[in-house]
Amino acid sequence: MLSGIVVTAVLSATAASALTYQNVSEGYSPADKTCDYLYRTFPDITSFSNQSSYIVDNTNFWSAASVLNPACVFAPSGAEDLAIAVKALKYYGSPFAIRGGGHMPIGDSNNINSTGVLLSSSGFKRLALSPDSSTLHVGPGNHWGEVYNFLNNTGKSIVGGRLGVVGIPGFITGGGISFFSWKYGWSSANIASVTGVIASGEVVTATPDNDFSDLFWALRGGGNSFALITEFEMITIPAPVVTVGTTSYGTTNLTMERWLDAIYNFALYGGEDCHECTVTPSASTGTQYPNGTTYTAMQFFDGNDTAPPALSNWTSPYLNATSDTFAATTMTEWSQSGLAQFDSIHGLRNRFHVLSTYADRRALQIIHDTFFAFVPIHLSSLQTYIATLTPMPISKQYFRASKVRGGDPMDLDPEDGPHIWYEMSVLYTVERDEEYVSAFLQAVDEEVKKMLAAEGIKQPKYLYLNDADKGQPVFEGYPAENVRKLKQIRHKYDPEMVFTNQMPGGWKVAHA
C-alpha cells in the first residue's frame, strides 16, 4: 500500500512548496502516485482506508453499491485546492470520481475502486445569502436538508430536492425535479451562476450572460462532462410555509384503479390548474409488504392549504387514506422528517430505471401491470427487497417554466407534453442479487416497449437523467442539435477528455 510510503514522506518533512510532480514515489500506479502527491501537498485533507474521514466518504451513500474503496480520498474546501488536484490527476493520468451527496445509486457515478482517486465535495459546505437575499450561495458538499435548514425563518426557499437526504451537484446538473418545479421549472432553471474547475485546472464562474454562458447552459442538464462544481448561486423564492406530506391509500384493486386515474388526471389538468401543486405517487411491494402492493402519494402545495382543488382526487371521498401526514409545515421540518427513512435503508443496495410516456391512461395501466407482474417472476428468490413504481405526472407548465435564463440542453417542448415519467426502483441487500434485479428491470423495459408499440402508443425519447439506469440512452433523448452543441462545449473546455476518460462514471455526452 502506498499509504506507508506517503507517511514516510510526510514524516521526513518534505515541504509542500518544494514538491514537483517528479519527486513522488516511482514505480506505482497513476492513482498511487497522485495520492502520494496530494498527501504530501495536502496531508490534512487526503485520507486513506484506515482513517475515519476516508471511511465516511467511501461508505455514506444512498446505495451500498457505491462503496468501492478508492486508492485515497481528497476532500478540499477551496476551489484552488481542487484545481491543483485536477492538474495532478491529469499529469499522472489517474482515473478518478467526484462525489456530491451520494444519492445516485450507480456505483461508479460517485465513487471509484482502488485504481482511482475519489474527490469528495464534503468540504464545500458554504451557505450564504446575498445582501438582498435574492440568491443563496450553496456549496456542493451540502444536502438539501441542510440548505432548507439554513433558510428556516427567512421566509425564503429554493427550487431544490424533494427529500432532504438528496445531494446537490448531480441533482442540478441532471436538471433536478423539485416540489416547486411546476411553478419555477427545473432546479437548474433557478441558478444565477455556477463556479467550478474546468479540465485545465482553471476556476471559472459561469452565468447566463458572461463569457462562460455556454458552459452555464451545458451545466443545466448536460451532466458531468464539463466542470467539477465548487459552488452554485441559487435564486431564492418566497415560501414561508408549505403544505406537504405522504398519504397512504391501501392495497385494494379499487384503490389501484383510482390511483392510476388520479395520476392521469393530474398530468392533464392538475399541474396546469395549480402551479403551486405537486404530487409524487408511488406503489411498492416486496418482502416488507405482506398485504400486497401499497399505494401512496407525496402531496405538496406551495402555501397553507390542505385542500387545494387540484389535489381533490388524492383525498377522500375519491381516494380514502389509511394514513396521512399532509399538513402545513416548512421545508426544514419536512426535510428533517425523512432522515429516519434514510437511516432505515442505509447499507442496502438500490437501483433506478426510468421510462417515459405521454399522458395516456392505457400506458399507465400497461406499465403498472407489467411491473408488478414481473416482480414475483424475477425477485421472489431475494431474501429482502422492495420494488417501487413512481409514475410522476409532468405538465406542460413544468416545461414552460423551465424556459428561462437561456434555456437548457433538454429543451422540452410544452406542446409535446404532458408526460409521465416512471422511476422503477429496487432496494435489496446483497451484491449477488444484482443479476436478478438487472434482469427484472430489463425485462420490464422490453415488455413495456413491446406492449406499447402493439397498442400504437408512442413514447417520448426523453429520459430523466437523475432516475436513469446505467446504459440507458439519456442524451439520445435530447434534441440532436443540443447534443452537437454539448459536444462542442465539452471539446472547448476539455479537449483532452479528462472528465470523460479519466472520470468514467456518469453519462458522457461524447458517447452519445
Side-chain angles (χ1 to χ4, degrees), residues 425-467:
S425 65
V426 183
L427 274 169
Y428 55 107
T429 53
V430 292
E431 185 177 3
R432 66 174 178 270
D433 291 337
E434 185 81 21
E435 62 178 296
Y436 300 105
V437 174
S438 295
F440 165 69
L441 294 171
Q442 188 61 37
V444 173
D445 186 290
E446 292 175 357
E447 182 67 13
V448 161
K449 289 175 180 175
K450 183 175 70 174
M451 294 181 70
L452 293 178
E455 292 291 324
I457 301 172
K458 294 183 178 180
Q459 292 182 261
K461 290 184 178 180
Y462 176 74
L463 296 173
Y464 178 42
L465 187 154
N466 290 350
D467 284 343

Side-chain angles (χ1 to χ4, degrees), residues 168-179:
I168 290 170
F171 177 86
I172 292 177
T173 57
I177 299 174
S178 171
F179 282 137

Side-chain angles (χ1 to χ4, degrees), residues 55-131:
I55 294 169
V56 170
D57 276 325
N58 181 51
T59 60
N60 192 24
F61 289 97
W62 185 257
S63 173
S66 295
V67 180
L68 296 177
N69 306 316
C72 66
V73 175
F74 181 66
S77 57
E80 294 298 337
D81 291 349
L82 181 60
I84 291 171
V86 168
K87 292 176 182 178
L89 288 160
K90 282 183 62 179
Y91 180 84
Y92 294 116
S94 174
F96 65 98
I98 188 163
R99 65 157 295 166
H103 183 252
M104 177 63 76
I106 300 171
D108 65 359
S109 66
N110 44 29
N111 204 353
I112 197 164
N113 62 20
S114 60
T115 65
V117 176
L118 175 61
L119 305 176
S120 172
S121 299
S122 57
F124 290 96
K125 301 290 282 186
R126 185 187 182 206
L127 291 168
L129 278 167
S130 62

Side-chain angles (χ1 to χ4, degrees), residues 152-157 237-242 302-303 329-331:
N152 200 30
N153 299 320
T154 67
K156 299 284 188 178
S157 192
I237 58 174
V241 62
V242 297
D302 183 8
T329 184
T330 65
M331 286 303 297

